[in-house]
Amino acid sequence: ILGCVRLLREKGITIGTLEGSMVALVGDYIVQGVLGEFYPCGSEAFHASYDVVVSPVELEKAGLRRE
C-alpha cells in the first residue's frame, strides 16, 4: 500500500474525461459533471468555484439549524 501511495503522490491518478485523459494529484478534488463525467479540479479552483453545503441531518447532529 505504501508504494501505491507514493506513486499517487509522485504521478497522480489518470482520469478519462470528455476532453481526454487528465491527471489528478494529491490534494485535487474529483468532480462529477452534469453528464456524469468525472474530472480533476485543483483545490484552489475548487474552493473559488464551489460553496460548502451541509445537509440538514449534519446540522442537526451538530446541534445547529439552518436559518
Side-chain angles (χ1 to χ4, degrees):
I1 290 188
L2 291 177
C4 293
V5 171
R6 188 175 308 117
L7 181 63
L8 177 61
R9 282 189 185 144
E10 293 173 3
K11 298 192 181 206
I13 184 170
T14 302
I15 299 170
T17 71
L18 295 176
E19 290 82 29
S21 295
M22 298 179 79
V23 176
L25 302 173
V26 171
D28 287 350
Y29 289 84
I30 298 175
V31 179
Q32 184 174 14
V34 296
L35 299 176
E37 76 283 12
F38 291 98
Y39 57 93
C41 183
S43 179
E44 192 171 309
F46 181 87
H47 289 287
S49 301
Y50 300 99
D51 294 323
V52 174
V53 177
V54 180
S55 74
V57 173
E58 292 300 320
L59 286 174
E60 188 176 317
K61 284 181 185 177
L64 303 171
R65 67 182 126 144
R66 186 170 287 176
E67 296 183 17

